[in-house]
mmCIF file of all heavy atoms in Angstrom:
data_model
loop_
_atom_site.group_PDB
_atom_site.id
_atom_site.type_symbol
_atom_site.label_atom_id
_atom_site.label_comp_id
_atom_site.label_asym_id
_atom_site.label_seq_id
_atom_site.Cartn_x
_atom_site.Cartn_y
_atom_site.Cartn_z
ATOM 1 N N GLY A 1 16.595 14.899 -21.628
ATOM 2 C CA GLY A 1 15.890 14.097 -20.618
ATOM 3 C C GLY A 1 14.372 14.557 -20.415
ATOM 4 O O GLY A 1 13.464 13.645 -20.321
ATOM 5 N N ASP A 2 14.118 15.899 -20.418
ATOM 6 C CA ASP A 2 12.782 16.380 -20.242
ATOM 7 C C ASP A 2 11.874 15.950 -21.377
ATOM 8 O O ASP A 2 10.735 15.631 -21.217
ATOM 9 C CB ASP A 2 12.830 17.851 -20.223
ATOM 10 C CG ASP A 2 13.425 18.485 -18.930
ATOM 11 O OD1 ASP A 2 13.485 17.651 -17.913
ATOM 12 O OD2 ASP A 2 13.762 19.646 -18.873
ATOM 13 N N MET A 3 12.411 15.893 -22.570
ATOM 14 C CA MET A 3 11.662 15.439 -23.810
ATOM 15 C C MET A 3 11.244 13.981 -23.625
ATOM 16 O O MET A 3 10.127 13.588 -23.907
ATOM 17 C CB MET A 3 12.452 15.687 -25.061
ATOM 18 C CG MET A 3 11.485 15.430 -26.251
ATOM 19 S SD MET A 3 12.448 15.834 -27.825
ATOM 20 C CE MET A 3 12.590 17.564 -27.812
ATOM 21 N N ILE A 4 12.237 13.253 -23.174
ATOM 22 C CA ILE A 4 11.921 11.736 -22.985
ATOM 23 C C ILE A 4 10.827 11.569 -21.954
ATOM 24 O O ILE A 4 9.890 10.751 -22.130
ATOM 25 C CB ILE A 4 13.209 11.022 -22.603
ATOM 26 C CG1 ILE A 4 14.229 10.980 -23.711
ATOM 27 C CG2 ILE A 4 12.853 9.617 -22.148
ATOM 28 C CD1 ILE A 4 15.526 10.517 -23.405
ATOM 29 N N ILE A 5 10.915 12.320 -20.796
ATOM 30 C CA ILE A 5 9.927 12.146 -19.889
ATOM 31 C C ILE A 5 8.594 12.573 -20.251
ATOM 32 O O ILE A 5 7.523 11.939 -19.933
ATOM 33 C CB ILE A 5 10.342 12.996 -18.553
ATOM 34 C CG1 ILE A 5 11.559 12.422 -17.811
ATOM 35 C CG2 ILE A 5 9.227 13.165 -17.570
ATOM 36 C CD1 ILE A 5 12.177 13.321 -16.819
ATOM 37 N N GLN A 6 8.456 13.735 -21.104
ATOM 38 C CA GLN A 6 7.163 14.095 -21.662
ATOM 39 C C GLN A 6 6.668 13.096 -22.606
ATOM 40 O O GLN A 6 5.451 12.838 -22.552
ATOM 41 C CB GLN A 6 7.409 15.490 -22.296
ATOM 42 C CG GLN A 6 6.059 16.057 -22.825
ATOM 43 C CD GLN A 6 5.105 16.477 -21.652
ATOM 44 O OE1 GLN A 6 5.595 16.717 -20.519
ATOM 45 N NE2 GLN A 6 3.953 16.499 -22.012
ATOM 46 N N ALA A 7 7.546 12.482 -23.369
ATOM 47 C CA ALA A 7 7.018 11.579 -24.338
ATOM 48 C C ALA A 7 6.441 10.237 -23.557
ATOM 49 O O ALA A 7 5.412 9.687 -24.045
ATOM 50 C CB ALA A 7 8.168 11.078 -25.312
ATOM 51 N N GLN A 8 7.222 9.883 -22.424
ATOM 52 C CA GLN A 8 6.723 8.870 -21.737
ATOM 53 C C GLN A 8 5.305 9.031 -21.100
ATOM 54 O O GLN A 8 4.488 8.226 -21.083
ATOM 55 C CB GLN A 8 7.704 8.488 -20.577
ATOM 56 C CG GLN A 8 7.363 7.261 -19.834
ATOM 57 C CD GLN A 8 8.272 6.985 -18.705
ATOM 58 O OE1 GLN A 8 8.623 7.964 -17.873
ATOM 59 N NE2 GLN A 8 8.624 5.758 -18.382
ATOM 60 N N LYS A 9 5.142 10.336 -20.531
ATOM 61 C CA LYS A 9 3.892 10.669 -20.002
ATOM 62 C C LYS A 9 2.705 10.532 -21.035
ATOM 63 O O LYS A 9 1.664 10.040 -20.734
ATOM 64 C CB LYS A 9 4.041 12.171 -19.392
ATOM 65 C CG LYS A 9 2.720 12.600 -18.694
ATOM 66 C CD LYS A 9 2.912 13.979 -18.259
ATOM 67 C CE LYS A 9 1.679 14.519 -17.564
ATOM 68 N NZ LYS A 9 1.767 15.877 -16.997
ATOM 69 N N ILE A 10 2.970 11.092 -22.156
ATOM 70 C CA ILE A 10 1.974 11.064 -23.254
ATOM 71 C C ILE A 10 1.616 9.606 -23.619
ATOM 72 O O ILE A 10 0.510 9.162 -23.771
ATOM 73 C CB ILE A 10 2.405 11.830 -24.561
ATOM 74 C CG1 ILE A 10 2.455 13.379 -24.071
ATOM 75 C CG2 ILE A 10 1.399 11.663 -25.659
ATOM 76 C CD1 ILE A 10 3.125 14.136 -25.237
ATOM 77 N N TRP A 11 2.690 8.728 -23.657
ATOM 78 C CA TRP A 11 2.580 7.326 -24.046
ATOM 79 C C TRP A 11 1.620 6.654 -23.036
ATOM 80 O O TRP A 11 0.773 5.851 -23.363
ATOM 81 C CB TRP A 11 3.783 6.661 -24.122
ATOM 82 C CG TRP A 11 3.722 5.215 -24.460
ATOM 83 C CD1 TRP A 11 3.484 4.511 -25.539
ATOM 84 C CD2 TRP A 11 3.926 4.198 -23.467
ATOM 85 N NE1 TRP A 11 3.527 3.264 -25.309
ATOM 86 C CE2 TRP A 11 3.783 2.935 -24.102
ATOM 87 C CE3 TRP A 11 4.332 4.135 -22.131
ATOM 88 C CZ2 TRP A 11 3.847 1.724 -23.401
ATOM 89 C CZ3 TRP A 11 4.420 2.939 -21.410
ATOM 90 C CH2 TRP A 11 4.211 1.757 -22.085
ATOM 91 N N LYS A 12 2.019 6.936 -21.778
ATOM 92 C CA LYS A 12 1.184 6.258 -20.653
ATOM 93 C C LYS A 12 -0.236 6.804 -20.660
ATOM 94 O O LYS A 12 -1.107 5.898 -20.433
ATOM 95 C CB LYS A 12 1.890 6.585 -19.254
ATOM 96 C CG LYS A 12 3.037 5.811 -18.919
ATOM 97 C CD LYS A 12 3.449 6.067 -17.563
ATOM 98 C CE LYS A 12 3.739 7.469 -17.190
ATOM 99 N NZ LYS A 12 4.049 7.684 -15.745
ATOM 100 N N GLU A 13 -0.482 8.010 -20.879
ATOM 101 C CA GLU A 13 -1.871 8.580 -21.002
ATOM 102 C C GLU A 13 -2.674 7.806 -22.100
ATOM 103 O O GLU A 13 -3.776 7.434 -21.963
ATOM 104 C CB GLU A 13 -1.878 9.992 -21.176
ATOM 105 C CG GLU A 13 -1.380 10.786 -19.944
ATOM 106 C CD GLU A 13 -1.215 12.316 -20.206
ATOM 107 O OE1 GLU A 13 -1.362 12.613 -21.393
ATOM 108 O OE2 GLU A 13 -1.002 12.989 -19.195
ATOM 109 N N LYS A 14 -2.053 7.683 -23.277
ATOM 110 C CA LYS A 14 -2.707 7.096 -24.431
ATOM 111 C C LYS A 14 -2.849 5.477 -24.115
ATOM 112 O O LYS A 14 -4.026 4.925 -24.334
ATOM 113 C CB LYS A 14 -1.758 7.147 -25.628
ATOM 114 C CG LYS A 14 -1.651 8.585 -26.104
ATOM 115 C CD LYS A 14 -2.978 9.189 -26.506
ATOM 116 C CE LYS A 14 -2.762 10.607 -27.108
ATOM 117 N NZ LYS A 14 -4.097 11.167 -27.519
ATOM 118 N N LYS A 15 -1.818 4.836 -23.503
ATOM 119 C CA LYS A 15 -1.875 3.463 -23.203
ATOM 120 C C LYS A 15 -2.991 3.152 -22.253
ATOM 121 O O LYS A 15 -3.736 2.141 -22.339
ATOM 122 C CB LYS A 15 -0.528 2.894 -22.690
ATOM 123 C CG LYS A 15 -0.507 1.403 -22.447
ATOM 124 C CD LYS A 15 0.786 1.007 -21.782
ATOM 125 C CE LYS A 15 0.818 1.309 -20.329
ATOM 126 N NZ LYS A 15 1.749 0.631 -19.530
ATOM 127 N N ASN A 16 -3.164 3.961 -21.211
ATOM 128 C CA ASN A 16 -4.105 3.582 -20.132
ATOM 129 C C ASN A 16 -5.403 4.353 -20.267
ATOM 130 O O ASN A 16 -6.212 4.344 -19.405
ATOM 131 C CB ASN A 16 -3.363 3.943 -18.761
ATOM 132 C CG ASN A 16 -2.236 3.003 -18.470
ATOM 133 O OD1 ASN A 16 -2.328 1.848 -18.837
ATOM 134 N ND2 ASN A 16 -1.315 3.559 -17.761
ATOM 135 N N ALA A 17 -5.589 5.069 -21.477
ATOM 136 C CA ALA A 17 -6.864 5.741 -21.605
ATOM 137 C C ALA A 17 -8.028 4.836 -21.499
ATOM 138 O O ALA A 17 -8.142 3.761 -22.078
ATOM 139 C CB ALA A 17 -6.839 6.493 -23.103
ATOM 140 N N GLY A 18 -8.990 5.243 -20.540
ATOM 141 C CA GLY A 18 -10.156 4.404 -20.394
ATOM 142 C C GLY A 18 -9.957 3.133 -19.570
ATOM 143 O O GLY A 18 -10.846 2.237 -19.347
ATOM 144 N N LYS A 19 -8.689 2.878 -19.049
ATOM 145 C CA LYS A 19 -8.413 1.803 -18.277
ATOM 146 C C LYS A 19 -7.698 2.056 -16.943
ATOM 147 O O LYS A 19 -6.486 1.977 -16.760
ATOM 148 C CB LYS A 19 -7.476 0.773 -19.093
ATOM 149 C CG LYS A 19 -8.170 0.099 -20.260
ATOM 150 C CD LYS A 19 -7.330 -0.829 -20.987
ATOM 151 C CE LYS A 19 -7.960 -1.546 -22.146
ATOM 152 N NZ LYS A 19 -7.155 -2.526 -22.741
ATOM 153 N N PRO A 20 -8.395 2.718 -15.972
ATOM 154 C CA PRO A 20 -7.814 3.031 -14.752
ATOM 155 C C PRO A 20 -7.345 1.728 -14.013
ATOM 156 O O PRO A 20 -7.901 0.638 -14.093
ATOM 157 C CB PRO A 20 -8.955 3.779 -13.917
ATOM 158 C CG PRO A 20 -10.201 3.307 -14.538
ATOM 159 C CD PRO A 20 -9.956 3.011 -16.028
ATOM 160 N N ILE A 21 -6.334 1.911 -13.136
ATOM 161 C CA ILE A 21 -5.812 0.810 -12.391
ATOM 162 C C ILE A 21 -6.637 0.774 -11.147
ATOM 163 O O ILE A 21 -7.045 1.634 -10.480
ATOM 164 C CB ILE A 21 -4.370 1.134 -11.974
ATOM 165 C CG1 ILE A 21 -3.480 1.108 -13.234
ATOM 166 C CG2 ILE A 21 -3.845 0.059 -11.064
ATOM 167 C CD1 ILE A 21 -3.341 -0.081 -14.065
ATOM 168 N N CYS A 22 -7.002 -0.529 -10.664
ATOM 169 C CA CYS A 22 -7.559 -0.746 -9.433
ATOM 170 C C CYS A 22 -6.668 -1.755 -8.610
ATOM 171 O O CYS A 22 -6.541 -2.814 -9.008
ATOM 172 C CB CYS A 22 -8.959 -1.372 -9.702
ATOM 173 S SG CYS A 22 -10.002 -1.660 -8.295
ATOM 174 N N ALA A 23 -6.150 -1.171 -7.611
ATOM 175 C CA ALA A 23 -5.122 -1.919 -6.852
ATOM 176 C C ALA A 23 -5.549 -2.061 -5.352
ATOM 177 O O ALA A 23 -6.051 -1.223 -4.705
ATOM 178 C CB ALA A 23 -3.739 -1.274 -6.960
ATOM 179 N N VAL A 24 -5.171 -3.418 -4.869
ATOM 180 C CA VAL A 24 -5.441 -3.532 -3.354
ATOM 181 C C VAL A 24 -4.093 -3.822 -2.732
ATOM 182 O O VAL A 24 -3.353 -4.677 -3.175
ATOM 183 C CB VAL A 24 -6.433 -4.647 -3.073
ATOM 184 C CG1 VAL A 24 -6.510 -5.043 -1.671
ATOM 185 C CG2 VAL A 24 -7.796 -4.457 -3.680
ATOM 186 N N PHE A 25 -3.771 -3.131 -1.723
ATOM 187 C CA PHE A 25 -2.545 -3.405 -0.897
ATOM 188 C C PHE A 25 -2.937 -4.417 0.167
ATOM 189 O O PHE A 25 -3.931 -4.124 0.877
ATOM 190 C CB PHE A 25 -1.946 -2.118 -0.337
ATOM 191 C CG PHE A 25 -1.394 -1.226 -1.362
ATOM 192 C CD1 PHE A 25 -2.000 -0.295 -2.006
ATOM 193 C CD2 PHE A 25 0.065 -1.423 -1.693
ATOM 194 C CE1 PHE A 25 -1.398 0.546 -2.952
ATOM 195 C CE2 PHE A 25 0.719 -0.586 -2.621
ATOM 196 C CZ PHE A 25 -0.110 0.289 -3.251
ATOM 197 N N VAL A 26 -2.191 -5.419 0.317
ATOM 198 C CA VAL A 26 -2.383 -6.538 1.222
ATOM 199 C C VAL A 26 -1.364 -6.557 2.228
ATOM 200 O O VAL A 26 -0.234 -6.994 1.866
ATOM 201 C CB VAL A 26 -2.649 -7.885 0.574
ATOM 202 C CG1 VAL A 26 -2.909 -8.941 1.512
ATOM 203 C CG2 VAL A 26 -3.565 -7.811 -0.610
ATOM 204 N N ALA A 27 -1.590 -6.025 3.527
ATOM 205 C CA ALA A 27 -0.476 -5.848 4.447
ATOM 206 C C ALA A 27 -0.521 -6.975 5.544
ATOM 207 O O ALA A 27 -1.567 -7.150 6.178
ATOM 208 C CB ALA A 27 -0.672 -4.534 5.158
ATOM 209 N N ASP A 28 0.514 -7.727 5.719
ATOM 210 C CA ASP A 28 0.823 -8.689 6.696
ATOM 211 C C ASP A 28 1.013 -8.070 8.075
ATOM 212 O O ASP A 28 1.913 -7.271 8.176
ATOM 213 C CB ASP A 28 1.993 -9.614 6.298
ATOM 214 C CG ASP A 28 2.267 -10.693 7.207
ATOM 215 O OD1 ASP A 28 1.676 -10.739 8.355
ATOM 216 O OD2 ASP A 28 3.130 -11.476 6.879
ATOM 217 N N VAL A 29 0.099 -8.280 8.987
ATOM 218 C CA VAL A 29 0.268 -7.771 10.313
ATOM 219 C C VAL A 29 0.313 -8.938 11.365
ATOM 220 O O VAL A 29 -0.110 -8.723 12.551
ATOM 221 C CB VAL A 29 -0.929 -6.783 10.703
ATOM 222 C CG1 VAL A 29 -0.739 -5.502 9.913
ATOM 223 C CG2 VAL A 29 -2.239 -7.363 10.664
ATOM 224 N N SER A 30 0.904 -10.015 11.013
ATOM 225 C CA SER A 30 1.032 -11.105 11.943
ATOM 226 C C SER A 30 2.094 -10.808 12.865
ATOM 227 O O SER A 30 2.780 -9.810 12.756
ATOM 228 C CB SER A 30 1.279 -12.394 11.069
ATOM 229 O OG SER A 30 2.551 -12.253 10.411
ATOM 230 N N GLY A 31 2.225 -11.659 13.931
ATOM 231 C CA GLY A 31 3.196 -11.509 14.913
ATOM 232 C C GLY A 31 4.556 -11.420 14.539
ATOM 233 O O GLY A 31 5.415 -10.586 15.075
ATOM 234 N N SER A 32 4.917 -12.087 13.438
ATOM 235 C CA SER A 32 6.273 -12.060 12.980
ATOM 236 C C SER A 32 6.654 -10.741 12.289
ATOM 237 O O SER A 32 7.846 -10.536 12.049
ATOM 238 C CB SER A 32 6.551 -13.253 11.989
ATOM 239 O OG SER A 32 5.639 -13.162 10.960
ATOM 240 N N MET A 33 5.743 -9.977 12.062
ATOM 241 C CA MET A 33 5.937 -8.598 11.420
ATOM 242 C C MET A 33 6.119 -7.512 12.507
ATOM 243 O O MET A 33 6.451 -6.357 12.170
ATOM 244 C CB MET A 33 4.734 -8.250 10.544
ATOM 245 C CG MET A 33 4.756 -9.088 9.162
ATOM 246 S SD MET A 33 6.058 -8.678 8.065
ATOM 247 C CE MET A 33 5.578 -7.032 7.606
ATOM 248 N N ASP A 34 6.020 -7.927 13.765
ATOM 249 C CA ASP A 34 6.100 -6.819 14.843
ATOM 250 C C ASP A 34 7.419 -6.241 14.818
ATOM 251 O O ASP A 34 8.443 -6.814 14.583
ATOM 252 C CB ASP A 34 5.736 -7.618 16.177
ATOM 253 C CG ASP A 34 5.481 -6.518 17.321
ATOM 254 O OD1 ASP A 34 5.104 -5.500 17.012
ATOM 255 O OD2 ASP A 34 5.730 -6.904 18.475
ATOM 256 N N GLY A 35 7.448 -4.942 15.214
ATOM 257 C CA GLY A 35 8.644 -4.276 15.337
ATOM 258 C C GLY A 35 9.076 -3.616 13.881
ATOM 259 O O GLY A 35 8.324 -2.978 13.194
ATOM 260 N N GLU A 36 10.319 -3.730 13.599
ATOM 261 C CA GLU A 36 10.890 -3.102 12.435
ATOM 262 C C GLU A 36 10.262 -3.354 11.117
ATOM 263 O O GLU A 36 9.985 -2.585 10.249
ATOM 264 C CB GLU A 36 12.461 -3.209 12.373
ATOM 265 C CG GLU A 36 13.122 -2.371 11.341
ATOM 266 C CD GLU A 36 12.934 -0.931 11.451
ATOM 267 O OE1 GLU A 36 12.442 -0.399 12.496
ATOM 268 O OE2 GLU A 36 13.102 -0.204 10.368
ATOM 269 N N PRO A 37 9.910 -4.741 10.871
ATOM 270 C CA PRO A 37 9.282 -5.088 9.614
ATOM 271 C C PRO A 37 7.933 -4.306 9.357
ATOM 272 O O PRO A 37 7.766 -3.800 8.314
ATOM 273 C CB PRO A 37 9.001 -6.613 9.736
ATOM 274 C CG PRO A 37 10.107 -7.140 10.686
ATOM 275 C CD PRO A 37 10.326 -5.947 11.677
ATOM 276 N N LEU A 38 7.103 -4.307 10.388
ATOM 277 C CA LEU A 38 5.875 -3.515 10.304
ATOM 278 C C LEU A 38 6.116 -1.961 10.172
ATOM 279 O O LEU A 38 5.468 -1.327 9.404
ATOM 280 C CB LEU A 38 4.862 -3.769 11.342
ATOM 281 C CG LEU A 38 3.595 -3.102 11.307
ATOM 282 C CD1 LEU A 38 2.937 -3.558 10.070
ATOM 283 C CD2 LEU A 38 2.703 -3.472 12.502
ATOM 284 N N ASN A 39 7.171 -1.421 10.847
ATOM 285 C CA ASN A 39 7.517 -0.012 10.663
ATOM 286 C C ASN A 39 7.868 0.254 9.353
ATOM 287 O O ASN A 39 7.512 1.232 8.782
ATOM 288 C CB ASN A 39 8.566 0.361 11.716
ATOM 289 C CG ASN A 39 8.118 0.376 13.239
ATOM 290 O OD1 ASN A 39 6.946 0.538 13.422
ATOM 291 N ND2 ASN A 39 9.057 0.171 14.093
ATOM 292 N N LYS A 40 8.733 -0.678 8.668
ATOM 293 C CA LYS A 40 9.186 -0.423 7.264
ATOM 294 C C LYS A 40 8.029 -0.501 6.360
ATOM 295 O O LYS A 40 7.984 0.142 5.414
ATOM 296 C CB LYS A 40 10.203 -1.436 6.999
ATOM 297 C CG LYS A 40 11.556 -1.194 7.660
ATOM 298 C CD LYS A 40 12.585 -2.278 7.398
ATOM 299 C CE LYS A 40 13.102 -2.223 6.051
ATOM 300 N NZ LYS A 40 14.199 -3.254 5.763
ATOM 301 N N LEU A 41 7.080 -1.402 6.590
ATOM 302 C CA LEU A 41 5.900 -1.651 5.827
ATOM 303 C C LEU A 41 5.083 -0.297 5.770
ATOM 304 O O LEU A 41 4.651 0.136 4.708
ATOM 305 C CB LEU A 41 5.047 -2.819 6.215
ATOM 306 C CG LEU A 41 3.853 -3.244 5.500
ATOM 307 C CD1 LEU A 41 3.514 -4.666 5.628
ATOM 308 C CD2 LEU A 41 2.587 -2.377 5.866
ATOM 309 N N ARG A 42 4.945 0.194 6.960
ATOM 310 C CA ARG A 42 4.151 1.471 6.994
ATOM 311 C C ARG A 42 4.811 2.542 6.232
ATOM 312 O O ARG A 42 4.198 3.360 5.533
ATOM 313 C CB ARG A 42 3.927 1.880 8.503
ATOM 314 C CG ARG A 42 3.042 1.049 9.381
ATOM 315 C CD ARG A 42 2.732 1.850 10.710
ATOM 316 N NE ARG A 42 2.266 0.883 11.692
ATOM 317 C CZ ARG A 42 3.000 0.383 12.701
ATOM 318 N NH1 ARG A 42 4.260 0.727 12.825
ATOM 319 N NH2 ARG A 42 2.397 -0.414 13.547
ATOM 320 N N ARG A 43 6.040 2.742 6.439
ATOM 321 C CA ARG A 43 6.842 3.773 5.753
ATOM 322 C C ARG A 43 6.663 3.642 4.218
ATOM 323 O O ARG A 43 6.579 4.569 3.470
ATOM 324 C CB ARG A 43 8.304 3.791 6.194
ATOM 325 C CG ARG A 43 8.503 4.442 7.593
ATOM 326 C CD ARG A 43 10.007 4.698 7.783
ATOM 327 N NE ARG A 43 10.972 3.612 7.685
ATOM 328 C CZ ARG A 43 11.267 2.827 8.691
ATOM 329 N NH1 ARG A 43 10.753 3.006 9.896
ATOM 330 N NH2 ARG A 43 12.042 1.801 8.512
ATOM 331 N N SER A 44 6.774 2.375 3.801
ATOM 332 C CA SER A 44 6.729 2.118 2.336
ATOM 333 C C SER A 44 5.407 2.622 1.771
ATOM 334 O O SER A 44 5.334 3.184 0.704
ATOM 335 C CB SER A 44 6.813 0.576 2.034
ATOM 336 O OG SER A 44 8.039 0.095 2.482
ATOM 337 N N LEU A 45 4.394 2.367 2.425
ATOM 338 C CA LEU A 45 2.991 2.688 1.973
ATOM 339 C C LEU A 45 2.725 4.269 2.096
ATOM 340 O O LEU A 45 2.231 4.866 1.230
ATOM 341 C CB LEU A 45 1.863 1.917 2.677
ATOM 342 C CG LEU A 45 1.836 0.438 2.469
ATOM 343 C CD1 LEU A 45 0.741 -0.267 3.178
ATOM 344 C CD2 LEU A 45 1.688 0.204 0.920
#
């Protein structure tokens, strides 16, 4: 398993070389998210 993980890491590094990810998280904070939904959203992030 360790060898597979290492191979995957090298493959990702080669695949994404020179191409960093740029991501925006878009969080819904409307009234319907109040309470547990928003709490779960916070924990997820």
Side-chain angles (χ1 to χ4, degrees):
D2 287 344
M3 185 176 294
I4 292 173
I5 291 171
Q6 185 63 27
Q8 182 188 42
K9 180 179 179 181
I10 293 171
W11 175 78
K12 284 191 300 179
E13 289 172 352
K14 297 292 185 182
K15 183 186 75 158
N16 291 328
K19 293 184 178 181
I21 298 298
C22 187
V24 174
F25 287 91
V26 180
D28 181 352
V29 293
S30 61
S32 58
M33 290 290 291
D34 195 25
E36 187 58 19
L38 185 57
N39 289 336
K40 290 176 69 176
L41 183 156
R42 289 195 197 98
R43 287 197 298 272
S44 297
L45 292 181

